[in-house]
Structures are given as C-alpha cells and as structure tokens.
C-alpha cells in the first residue's frame, strides 16, 4: 500500500498565520475577551475548539458596535478601512491577521483610487475578502465575475481604470474577463492579485488523484475550496471520498487498492490530516 499525502494539503500560509494568531492571543492570557471578526476559518472543528477556549465570533459590523472592550482579531480575508476606524474610535485593541497578499490588494486599490482610477475587482461580490477590498476603494468599486458583467461595464473612452482580482479567483476566467475589458479602450492597469496557493493545491490534487486507486479529500462540508478540490479529484479518480474527519471514513469503502492519495482543503487542520493518514496506513 502506497499512501501519497499532498504537500499542499491543508492550511495555506495566510490561514495558518491567522489561526496561530488566535491561539497565541489565547496563550497570552491577557484577561481580555477575545473576539474574531467573522469565523477565522471555515472549519467547524476549529471554531468549536476556539469557542471552548472562550473566543466569541462577531458576525458583522452591528455585532462590533455592541462591544465596548476586548481584543478583536481580523481574519485572513481582511476588512474594510471603516472597520479599522470603528475599532480605533471605540478604543478596542485590534490584532490584524489579514493575509499579506490581501493587504497588498488593499494598498493597491487605495493608491489607485487616490490617483483617480476607477477600480474593477474581478471576484465574488458577496465574499468577505471582496467586501473588504471595496471598502479600500471608498465603496466605489465595480465587482464582476462573468463575461456578461464585464461586457456591461461602461466608462467613457480613455477612462483610467485599475483591475485587481480576488485572491482565490480562477486564473483562466480572470484572463477572459480582462480581455473583454481591454477591448473597451480604457487606460488600463491590470494587477493579477490571484494567490498561487489555491492553484498549486488543485494541480497537485489532480496529479495525485490520477496516479491513485483511491483518493481521500478532507475538509468541512461548507468549505467551497474543499468542494472544488473534491470535484477535481473525482473527475480524475472515480474512487474519491469527501470526509470531514476520520469518523466519516469507512476503510472498507476503499476496496482493494494499492495506492491511496490524500489531500485537504485550505481550512483543514494538520492534526485531522495526520489522523486520517495514520489510520489508513495502520489499516492496510
Ligand atoms: Fe493568503 Fe493566498 Fe491563503 S491570499 S489567505 S495565502 S489563499
């Protein structure tokens, strides 16, 4: 039996940094209530563990307005400028775990807006990362995710435009939408701000799935990047299983196989991945 664990399985750099930030704050034991602005990651196991350690998740700005003190941790997706201003106004300590790649987009957008460019974000308007980026353009950004939306953008000819992307947006789709915008005769700056972590994880997962008799994808059922990973693996290997934890894995399901591949979504903790890997190894 050969088990191949994907090198890119589990937390990306930004998520790992954010999760560690939370646990470091808990260890400091400052006596202050710790909050996270939104769930730190899409993983019920981790969130439950944090709740057991006394951490409270603030759902939105309204929740934030209700608190008077404590420490608020900003997750890797980042937030708008207004949230930092609100925290400062209330005198609440802010621990910023925004991924540096997302921070870079905030900087670009604020500078280019200041320089008089219209901002176009290629991404999902409802995603918290994109909501945060819009805030750095003073709420005046166009968000597009389809060729139709790109086609309907309408500025005067030669308008100065800056295009950025949500970090997890699909690269080929990004290129397609940029091409549509290029035809519009604007004065365009394109900044490809897509993070390579998602692409690398998907490429490796596909390669391992193609080479394995069975494939295990570990991640929260609500995690969209794990769902996508499962789809990719299933297409490459029919014998693919989507599990949240070891409990979901029925080893006899795998059948008589000699090679098993394992990968995990960006919000799956290392201990869950190792537990699955060790169990598969012991039982075959
Ligand atoms: Fe950061 Fe890329 Fe992860 S932007 S949060 S390292 S997917």
């Amino acid at each position: 039996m050969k088990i191949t664990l994907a090198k890119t399985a589990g937390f990306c750099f930004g998520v790992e940094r954010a999760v560690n930030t939370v646990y470091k704050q808990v260890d400091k034991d400052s006596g202050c209530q710790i909050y996270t602005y939104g769930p730190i990651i899409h993983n019920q196991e981790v969130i439950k563990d944090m709740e057991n350690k006394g951490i409270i998740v603030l759902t939105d700005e309204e929740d934030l307005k209700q608190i008077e003190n404590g420490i608020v941790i900003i997750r890797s997706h980042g937030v708008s400028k207004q949230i930092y201003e609100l925290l400062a106004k209330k005198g609440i300590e802010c621990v910023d775990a925004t991924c540096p790649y997302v921070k870079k987009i905030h900087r670009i957008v604020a500078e280019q807006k200041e320089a008089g460019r219209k901002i176009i974000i290629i991404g999902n308007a409802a995603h918290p990362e994109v909501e945060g980026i819009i805030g750095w353009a003073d709420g005046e950004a166009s968000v597009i995710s389809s060729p139709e939306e790109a086609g309907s953008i309408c500025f005067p000819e030669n308008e100065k435009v800056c295009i950025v992307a949500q970090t997890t947006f699909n690269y080929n789709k990004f290129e397609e939408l940029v091409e549509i915008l290029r035809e519009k005769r604007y004065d365009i700056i394109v900044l490809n701000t897509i993070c390579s972590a998602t692409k690398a994880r998907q490429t490796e997962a596909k390669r391992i799935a193609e080479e394995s008799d069975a494939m295990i994808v570990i991640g929260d059922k609500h995690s969209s990047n794990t769902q996508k990973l499962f789809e990719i693996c299933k297409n490459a290997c029919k014998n693919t299983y989507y599990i949240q934890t070891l409990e979901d894995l029925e080893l006899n399901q795998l059948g008589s196989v000699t090679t098993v591949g394992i990968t995990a979504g960006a919000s799956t903790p290392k201990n869950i991945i190792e537990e699955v890997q060790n169990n598969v190894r012991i039982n075959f």
Side-chain angles (χ1 to χ4, degrees):
M1 159 71 74
K2 184 175 164 242
I3 301 168
T4 312
L5 172 65
K7 290 192 183 73
T8 51
F11 292 174
C12 62
F13 151 78
V15 169
E16 176 145 32
R17 193 170 160 272
V19 171
N20 288 344
T21 302
V22 174
Y23 286 116
K24 266 189 219 151
Q25 277 303 320
V26 173
D27 288 345
K28 273 190 191 166
D29 201 12
S30 61
C32 291
Q33 174 62 54
I34 303 170
Y35 301 93
T36 62
Y37 191 76
I40 211 88
I41 55 170
H42 260 135
N43 187 287
Q44 286 312 316
E45 305 291 315
V46 178
I47 298 297
K48 246 187 271 159
D49 183 55
M50 288 184 178
E51 278 171 2
N52 289 339
K53 292 187 161 58
I55 289 158
I56 298 176
V57 177
L58 301 171
T59 321
D60 52 24
E61 205 173 325
E62 284 313 305
D63 277 2
L64 184 57
K65 283 181 183 157
Q66 304 305 319
I67 63 168
E68 294 307 331
N69 41 45
I71 297 171
V72 173
I73 302 172
I74 308 290
R75 58 186 171 172
S76 56
H77 296 322
V79 291
S80 67
K81 198 165 52 180
Q82 290 82 334
I83 299 297
Y84 291 103
E85 286 167 357
L86 180 58
L87 285 162
K89 204 169 117 200
K90 290 174 84 73
I92 293 174
E93 189 183 338
C94 164
V95 175
D96 195 354
T98 305
C99 176
Y101 299 129
V102 177
K103 270 262 181 246
K104 187 174 150 200
I105 307 178
H106 293 171
R107 239 182 355 254
I108 293 170
V109 163
E111 281 167 12
Q112 295 301 325
K113 174 79 190 355
E114 179 76 25
R117 288 193 179 263
K118 299 273 188 233
I119 306 294
I120 298 179
I121 305 164
I122 298 188
N124 170 1
H127 192 283
E129 178 191 322
V130 175
E131 287 174 355
I133 299 170
I134 298 171
W136 288 89
D138 298 327
E140 292 167 17
S142 311
V143 184
I144 58 166
S145 60
S146 67
E148 295 71 37
E149 285 168 346
S152 67
I153 293 279
C154 183
F155 297 132
E157 213 174 295
N158 294 322
E159 179 68 84
K160 289 185 183 331
V161 173
C162 169
I163 304 171
V164 294
Q166 182 180 345
T167 53
T168 48
F169 204 78
N170 177 290
Y171 179 72
N172 293 337
K173 233 172 134 192
F174 172 76
E175 285 285 282
E176 183 193 351
L177 303 189
V178 167
E179 273 321 301
I180 296 173
L181 294 167
R182 278 195 200 281
E183 284 163 16
K184 293 190 179 250
R185 296 169 184 273
Y186 302 142
D187 169 1
I188 278 183
I189 296 180
V190 182
L191 293 144
N192 174 3
T193 49
I194 295 171
C195 171
S196 57
T198 311
K199 180 98 193 293
R201 188 197 321 276
Q202 292 176 352
T203 310
E204 193 190 18
K206 183 169 179 272
R207 183 183 52 76
I208 295 176
E210 279 166 354
E211 294 165 357
S212 304
D213 299 329
M215 187 76 191
I216 301 168
V217 180
I218 318 164
D220 198 276
K221 288 280 181 223
H222 302 290
S223 151
S224 62
N225 81 83
T226 313
Q227 286 165 10
K228 180 83 192 149
L229 210 53
F230 172 69
E231 248 173 61
I232 291 169
C233 292
K234 185 87 183 163
N235 277 335
C237 169
K238 291 282 154 274
N239 204 10
T240 295
Y241 300 91
Y242 189 158
I243 61 167
Q244 299 204 101
T245 65
L246 180 62
E247 280 169 32
D248 303 329
L249 184 65
E250 283 181 35
L251 287 168
N252 47 12
Q253 252 183 337
L254 296 181
S256 57
V257 292
T258 54
T259 50
V260 176
I262 301 174
T263 189
S267 45
T268 309
K270 209 188 267 172
N271 64 317
I272 296 183
I273 302 171
E274 283 171 357
E275 209 180 5
V276 172
Q277 185 190 17
N278 290 337
N279 231 272
V280 175
R281 187 176 291 138
I282 291 165
N283 285 283
F284 279 92

